[in-house]
């Protein structure tokens, strides 16, 4: 909502003073401002209090008006002028004395407004060089009432209204016109224009001289004469008007056209009539001869008006100001009442109103000047009259400003909030200093709500953006556990163009950190204790810093709040919630970093997990987990960590064993869940299952090697079985080499390297987003290099096929060795039986028993080739799967996977068997040699 603020008028109390001639009060206050001002008027005019009532009223209005500075406030310049004037009058001694007195005055701090006092003394000492008349003695004094280089962007907030310049007001008495003139300023006629200063309006007094030196002095003298003339205009001796104040028709060389319509042919239109019409057009009001054309959307001079081409073209050029005024006023009127337009839009409308107010001040001055001409009967044919060409010169600067404002209005259509501020900021990139100054002033007002939003967000963590104007968006439907990730986001379309994306991201993180601490961490520390920088109490100065010193002042405030808030948040997460300890616990248990614990857990779980998955109970597995913890170094971990470690059973499929569904789990909640989200924990679960399966393969091959060592001694009495054992040993050695290389790759090249990089990034992180990003990058790397992403699906299938062949070898070897051990036991039993009978004095065996024994031995020997063929088939399948796996590795885009193929085929055994592998490996070798 936009608030209209009444302008500050330092002398507004003068307006309540009665200006009638009156006797002295019973107890007058001789030091009151009104008494002193009245005494000054009496002293200057040399009359009594009763005779200067009208002049006193005018002086009150002049003092109470909102004039911009008249001249540059340069004390040194005024002192130099005084010394030059004394030197010109051949008073060198007085000039030296003045210099000494001014030096002493400047060294003392008694007076504050030294410039004003010096300027008053200089103005009173000037000797007006004009024809002697009644107004020449005080024309120079009141000449200071109009500025000569005022700017059009002062800091006050009065809502401008269209001036009621109707025809009835044109017949008001001269006293009213003087009052109207006294409360206005020519704010848009300045000396800082594109083509130099425009010529000042000439004096209305016929026969008045125009001194040459100093255009500014000329302006003050001429306007001062005009204002001073109005002071005495109501005196009977000088009045030439009727009792109602209407000037006589004979007093003007050119009669004013009637306002009534003329249905006859072409109407002769004078320049004076056009001037009146143009003044109305300036406010968007149709004149008698210049009206708005709805079809062409522009002002046009009526075709029946009899005008020469020069006047018609000049009138059309001047009428453009009215079209520009209408365009801007239409936008402000529509948007000022639109509450959904937001605070930024209302500020933009207020800035436009300020500029329109300055434009209306110019119109008020021009209207007062024309009113004086009408009321006092000044000849319009003289060079002192108000003409179209003079209007063209005086409105050149306002026209440029209105064009800029109209272009802003067009560019800002349909925009609001930060997007509107960006649209205004785009117009500051111009080489025209006056246009840039105008747009920067508007931008400072437009950006004020944005800065209010920003400071309240970064210092309090509060976001009250009813109309969605700020570039930080909030979703109230998001729950607390997803506050950091989903509740607050950047609304990129509302990021002002004068702010970088990095600054916007920091602003988002500052407020998000404050809300995260309060709502998730339950830390109620006030933001003022987190941030050493205090909120600025001067938003306009902040706006100036924003546009003049983006890289230092404003950037420094954002950086200070960002670093302090982020550091405090990370300290709370690390100290109170042990974030780093939880990260290490996940590494040890879910990524199998705690070797003794994992090995002992496998030993304890082996009997349970060998059973079908449907026969498992979670409480039994939880008890085994606690036993493994107490028996290993895991018992020395913090109780906070151990109580989060748990057993989880995956979804059971038909035929699954306990090895297929068992998994460890780590429970996270509170602020820690912001880093270890559900998605992250699901990734950890996938990685754990892969590592657990690979660890089981290593565990199986270890059991196979143990069986080889035991069976080699036990089955020494079966010489025909040695070939089978040798074949098993060779195949198992190939598998051990493969699994060891895969374990080395996963453990050192994937997990350890990625973990070291993650740990360094976490220790150097500046905010929580950096930790989350580093953790997600770590998980992404592990998922990718462990062949668990979508691009590595074919590799993962081949690797699982290798694992299946290892399990198949275990079952095949167990069956073969079991048959061999049974055969050995039967042979030993037969020998023991034979010896026992011989010891009893009987025959060792009968012919039937010996034949039966020989037949059984022969059957066993005949089964050996079948065992060998079974092992050869298993070897063939295994080598085929590994061969296909190597081919996929050599074509992988990941360099670490390509290097893995070197280690898996270190003796080029598979390269000799597969032509595709030879081409791929050769091409890879050439690439490596080039690098």
């Amino acid at each position: 909502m936009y608030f209209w603020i009444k302008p500050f008028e330092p002398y507004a109390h003068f307006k309540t003073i009665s200006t009638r001639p009156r006797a002295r009060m019973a107890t007058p206050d001789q030091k009151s401002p009104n008494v002193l001002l009245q005494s000054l008027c009496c002293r200057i005019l040399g009359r009594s209090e009763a005779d200067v009532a009208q002049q006193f009223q005018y002086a009150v209005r002049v003092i109470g008006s909102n004039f911009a500075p008249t001249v540059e406030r340069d004390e040194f310049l005024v002192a130099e002028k005084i010394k030059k004037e004394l030197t010109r009058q051949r008073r060198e001694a007085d000039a030296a004395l003045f210099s000494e007195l001014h030096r002493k005055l400047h060294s003392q701090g008694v007076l504050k407004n030294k410039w004003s006092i010096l300027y008053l003394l200089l103005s009173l000492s000037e000797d007006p060089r004009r024809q002697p008349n009644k107004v020449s003695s005080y024309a120079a004094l009141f000449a200071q009432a109009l500025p000569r280089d005022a700017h059009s962007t002062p800091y006050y907030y009065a809502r401008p209204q269209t001036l009621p310049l109707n025809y009835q007001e044109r017949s008001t008495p001269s006293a009213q016109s003087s009052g109207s003139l006294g409360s206005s300023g020519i704010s848009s006629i300045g000396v800082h224009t594109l083509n130099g200063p425009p010529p000042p309006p000439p004096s209305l007094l016929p026969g008045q001289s125009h001194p040459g030196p100093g255009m500014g002095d000329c302006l003050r003298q001429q306007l001062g004469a005009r204002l001073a003339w109005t002071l005495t205009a109501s005196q009977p001796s000088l009045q030439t008007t009727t009792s109602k104040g209407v000037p006589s028709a004979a007093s003007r060389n050119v009669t004013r056209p009637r306002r009534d319509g003329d249905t006859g042919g072409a109407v002769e239109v004078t320049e004076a009539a056009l001037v009146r019409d143009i003044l109305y057009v300036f406010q968007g009001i149709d004149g008698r001869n210049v009206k708005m054309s709805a079809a062409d959307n522009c002002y046009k001079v009526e075709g029946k008006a009899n005008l020469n081409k020069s006047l018609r073209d000049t009138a059309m050029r001047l009428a453009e100001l009215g079209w520009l005024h209408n365009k801007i006023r239409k936008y402000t009127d529509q948007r000022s009442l639109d509450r959904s337009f937001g605070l930024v839009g209302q500020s933009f409308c207020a800035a436009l109103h300020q500029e329109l107010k300055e434009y209306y001040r110019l119109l008020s001055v021009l209207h007062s000047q024309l009113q004086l001409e009408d009321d006092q009967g000044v000849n319009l044919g003289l060079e002192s009259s108000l003409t179209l060409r003079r209007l063209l010169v005086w409105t050149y600067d306002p026209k440029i400003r209105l064009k800029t404002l109209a272009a802003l209005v067009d560019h800002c259509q349909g925009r609001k909030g930060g997007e509107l501020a960006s649209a205004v900021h785009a117009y500051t990139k111009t080489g025209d200093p006056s246009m840039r100054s105008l747009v920067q002033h508007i931008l400072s007002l437009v950006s004020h709500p944005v800065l209010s939003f920003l400071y309240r967000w970064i210092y309090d963590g509060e976001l009250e953006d009813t109309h969605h104007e700020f570039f930080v968006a909030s979703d109230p439907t998001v729950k607390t556990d997803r506050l950091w990730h989903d509740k607050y986001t950047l609304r990129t379309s509302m990021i002002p163009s004068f702010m970088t994306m990095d600054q916007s991201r920091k602003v988002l993180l500052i407020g998000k950190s404050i809300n995260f601490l309060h709502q998730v961490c339950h830390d109620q520390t006030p933001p003022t204790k987190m941030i050493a920088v205090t909120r600025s109490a001067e938003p306009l100065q902040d706006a100036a810093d924003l546009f003049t010193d983006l890289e230092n002042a404003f950037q420094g405030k954002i950086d200070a709040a960002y670093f302090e808030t982020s550091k405090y948040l990370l300290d709370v997460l690390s100290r109170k919630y042990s974030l780093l300890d939880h990260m290490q616990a996940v590494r040890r248990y879910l990524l199998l970093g705690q070797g003794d614990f994992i090995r002992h857990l496998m030993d304890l779980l082996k009997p349970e997990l060998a059973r079908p998955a449907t026969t498992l109970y979670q409480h039994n597995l939880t008890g085994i987990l606690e036993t493994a913890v107490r028996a290993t170094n895991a018992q020395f971990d913090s109780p906070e960590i151990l109580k989060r470690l748990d057993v989880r059973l995956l979804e059971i499929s038909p035929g699954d064993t306990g090895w297929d569904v068992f998994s460890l789990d780590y429970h996270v909640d509170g602020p820690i869940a912001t880093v270890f989200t559900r998605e992250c924990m699901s990734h950890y679960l996938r990685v754990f299952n892969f590592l657990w399966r690979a660890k089981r393969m290593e565990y199986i091959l270890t059991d196979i090697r143990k069986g080889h060592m035991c069976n080699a001694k036990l089955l020494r009495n079966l010489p025909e079985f040695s070939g089978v054992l040798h074949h098993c040993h060779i195949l198992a050695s190939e598998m051990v080499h493969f699994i060891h290389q895969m374990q080395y790759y996963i453990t050192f090249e994937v997990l350890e390297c990625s973990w070291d990089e993650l740990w360094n990034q976490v220790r150097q992180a500046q905010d929580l987003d950096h930790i989350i990003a580093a953790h997600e990058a770590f998980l992404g790397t592990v998922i990718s290099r462990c062949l668990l992403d979508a691009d590595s699906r074919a590799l993962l299938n081949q690797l699982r096929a290798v694992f299946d062949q290892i399990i198949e070898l275990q079952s095949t070897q167990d069956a073969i060795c079991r048959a061999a051990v049974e055969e050995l036991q039967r042979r030993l039993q037969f020998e023991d039986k034979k010896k026992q009978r011989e010891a009893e004095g009987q025959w060792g065996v009968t012919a039937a028993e010996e034949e039966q024994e020989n037949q059984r031995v022969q059957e066993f020997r005949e089964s050996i080739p079948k065992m060998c063929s079974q092992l050869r088939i298993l070897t063939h399948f295994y080598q085929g799967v590994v061969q296909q796996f190597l081919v996929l590795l050599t074509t992988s885009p990941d360099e670490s996977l390509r290097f893995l193929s070197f280690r898996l085929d270190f003796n080029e055994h598979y390269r000799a068997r597969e032509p595709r592998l030879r081409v791929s490996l050769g091409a890879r070798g050439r690439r490596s040699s080039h690098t």
Side-chain angles (χ1 to χ4, degrees), residues 386-449:
L386 189 61
T387 63
L388 292 180
R389 290 192 174 276
R390 287 190 173 88
L391 282 180
L392 198 64
V393 174
W394 294 342
T395 58
Y396 179 80
D397 253 7
K399 185 176 181 181
I400 296 298
R401 302 176 77 86
L402 289 183
K403 279 186 176 181
T404 304
L405 298 179
L408 279 177
V409 166
D410 283 338
H411 192 54
C412 296
Q413 289 288 348
R415 304 173 189 265
K416 70 174 187 177
E419 189 179 8
L420 175 62
S422 299
V424 177
H425 180 256
Y427 274 78
T428 60
K429 302 173 182 178
T430 176
D432 186 346
S434 60
M435 183 184 299
R436 183 169 61 250
S437 175
L438 169 64
V439 179
Q440 283 180 348
H441 172 70
I442 294 177
L443 183 59
S444 65
L445 297 178
V446 169
S447 62
H448 181 253

Side-chain angles (χ1 to χ4, degrees), residues 307-315 388-389:
L307 281 176
N308 58 46
K309 189 175 186 306
S310 176
L311 289 180
R312 184 181 294 271
D313 291 346
T314 305
L388 292 180
R389 290 192 174 276

Side-chain angles (χ1 to χ4, degrees), residues 141 171 325 415 481 642 724 741 900 910:
L141 175 63
S171 353
H325 166 271
R415 304 173 189 265
D481 58 338
L642 294 178
V724 178
Q741 293 301 322
L900 176 61
Y910 295 99

